[in-house]
Amino acid sequence: MDADTPRRHDASPGQVPHDLLATAELVAGGALRSRDRMWRAGVALGRPLAYALPTTGAGSPPMAGAATLLLCFPFDLEEMPAGCGYRKIELAVTFDDESLRALDLQPGAGWAGPDGARVTAFGLGRNRLRWTFEAPRTGGTLSPDGRWAQAVLASPAPLTDVSGRVQVRGVIEHPLLSGTRAEGEVRTRDEVPFSLTRADVWAAAPLAGRTPRPGAWALTGHESIGPPGERLPPGRQHLCLAVDIEKYSTRGNADMIRLQRSLLRVMRAACARAAVDWDACGRQAQGDGYLLVLPPETDDTRAVPHLLDGLAGALAAVNREPHGGTRSPLRTRMRAAFHHGIVHEGDSGYAGSAVVELFRMLDADPLRALLADDQSTDLVVAFSDRTYQDLVPQGYEGLSPVGFKRTDIRVKQFAGVAWIRSHGHAGPPPPDLTAPV
């Protein structure tokens, strides 16, 4: 394989699937001369994120009868040597199905990024789309952070799969050997193909009256606001799992994006190990954390130990992976908490005292301190007193009281008891963790 050819990143057996579609070097084009090359540029293309906007009733599987789709294309620009920078970057997407039409493009005209980048978008009503990010002023450059582009697509027929090609072009500013500076065109040598099947697509619904943004789409149904006096939504007993990533806010933008992708993969891998139906769970993303509300029929005695082993195994796999061609100097580590209680599905998320107690345990200083002090593990866990007494001392396989410490928890107005311990990696993940996320 040529060194300049985009490299596909697929999961190898027994590992968590990779979140990258491909990494590619940006090679010289136009008048940019290789003998003047004191720069090196590249791009990491994330796997497209897909959300089916259902036209059928609630609970329909993703893409079943759906003719509208939201696709988000994340990508990371590689940092360049000192004195070099990106003046302009263009992301071009071409869909193989020529009947697809773009109904909306974001970012759109007039949008400005945190670094002041000016954005233009082309392709409304077509199957060939293009976003251009340009530095805000003469002499300025784009920050090499994670970026995204997304489109709402319509099809005249129900969607069963979506495929196409992605290419990145740009203009860089770089020094010459003569001591002067120049601009030159760069691009990925080839278009990078992508393909999404029904299994890759989330069921989603747009937030009414809002401009679509990544993460601003309900993953488990329609967001709605009930009228005053409406009956409460059903409250049912659920096992709940919440996780939070250590030191997330200290990371740069690109690392935050990678961590969010890794978090989703870790959660899905844990469910796969525990034979928990991911699509049957209530799910609520929290940026650096995640809430999983397991189905009422879950066998807690089997699910809890396997979820813990799945989390630990997936974290170990993530921390073995290179990021953008280099091994990340910072490990992905997290806190987890389990609790069982009555949960309601409210208008903007899951509600109930059980959810509050769960997150108070997750945020408690003793659990944070345990993770900070025990550098031999990537995962620490807290059980509520009730969940601990129901499961841990009862002799169930995979659950032992060894290592647990009873701890008083005080967070804001909450006071209670939790049982905490470190949790190590229990072995390799099973083969089904290679399923795409």
Side-chain angles (χ1 to χ4, degrees), residues 53-299:
L53 310 184
T55 56
T56 55
S60 298
M63 299 188 81
T68 310
L69 190 72
L70 170 72
L71 279 184
C72 181
F73 297 88
F75 63 99
D76 291 341
L77 297 173
E78 181 181 291
E79 288 194 29
M80 297 180 66
C84 303
Y86 299 93
R87 289 285 305 142
K88 181 169 66 174
I89 284 293
E90 176 185 288
L91 179 74
V93 179
T94 302
F95 295 98
D96 295 333
D97 185 349
E98 295 184 358
S99 68
L100 288 177
R101 294 292 180 265
L103 302 180
D104 182 65
L105 301 177
Q106 297 293 335
W111 186 90
D115 58 355
R118 299 190 302 269
V119 181
T120 53
F122 304 91
L124 279 176
R126 302 173 56 192
N127 73 315
R128 299 172 63 89
L129 314 177
R130 179 161 47 96
W131 290 266
T132 302
F133 301 79
E134 190 168 3
R137 63 186 184 281
T138 302
T141 57
L142 299 170
S143 60
D145 295 329
R147 297 179 184 271
W148 58 270
Q150 72 178 29
V152 175
L153 303 171
S155 170
L159 294 165
T160 56
D161 59 82
V162 177
S163 62
R165 303 173 303 282
V166 181
Q167 188 165 37
V168 175
R169 307 180 186 91
V171 174
I172 64 168
E173 183 179 88
H174 63 100
L176 301 177
L177 293 177
S178 62
T180 59
R181 300 184 64 78
E183 289 187 354
E185 296 179 358
V186 294
R187 59 174 174 79
T188 51
R189 183 177 297 277
D190 299 301
E191 292 181 311
V192 178
F194 66 89
S195 179
L196 299 171
T197 65
R198 179 171 171 174
D200 300 315
V201 182
W202 295 87
L207 301 183
R210 303 275 185 88
T211 302
R213 292 287 187 271
W217 297 76
L219 297 182
T220 54
H222 297 269
E223 181 184 71
S224 61
I225 301 177
E230 185 183 35
R231 292 181 59 189
L232 288 175
R236 297 187 177 93
Q237 289 279 346
H238 291 271
L239 173 67
C240 299
L241 165 64
V243 299
D244 189 89
I245 296 175
E246 181 190 45
K247 297 181 180 178
Y248 175 85
S249 62
T250 66
R251 311 293 181 96
N253 291 358
D255 274 342
M256 287 185 182
I257 291 171
R258 294 187 186 102
L259 284 172
Q260 289 192 13
R261 294 174 188 162
S262 296
L263 174 62
L264 178 60
R265 293 165 49 217
V266 166
M267 295 298 290
R268 295 195 67 164
C271 284
R273 177 151 189 153
V276 170
D277 184 352
W278 175 261
D279 293 321
C281 293
R283 307 187 299 275
Q284 188 167 301
Q286 321 240 179
D288 59 346
Y290 212 88
L291 169 64
L292 200 67
V293 181
L294 281 74
E297 64 273 13
T298 300
D299 181 347

Side-chain angles (χ1 to χ4, degrees), residues 27-28 182 204 214 222 227 229 235 267 324 332 348-349 365 382 420 430:
V27 300
H222 297 269
M267 295 298 290
T332 301
S348 60
D365 289 340
I420 66 175

Side-chain angles (χ1 to χ4, degrees), residues 344-410:
H344 296 268
E345 186 172 0
D347 292 336
S348 60
Y350 290 93
S353 60
V355 176
V356 173
E357 182 172 347
L358 181 73
F359 280 98
R360 294 297 183 258
M361 288 192 302
L362 191 68
D363 292 338
D365 289 340
L367 192 64
R368 290 178 180 273
L370 179 59
L371 185 60
D373 294 342
D374 187 356
Q375 293 297 314
S376 68
T377 187
D378 296 325
L379 177 68
V380 296
V381 60
F383 283 66
S384 67
D385 187 52
R386 172 185 168 183
T387 303
Y388 177 88
Q389 300 298 344
D390 283 349
L391 295 176
V392 179
Q394 307 304 327
Y396 294 120
E397 184 179 356
L399 292 170
S400 166
V402 175
F404 276 100
K405 178 183 177 182
R406 185 185 186 280
T407 307
D408 291 327
I409 299 294
R410 294 186 180 276

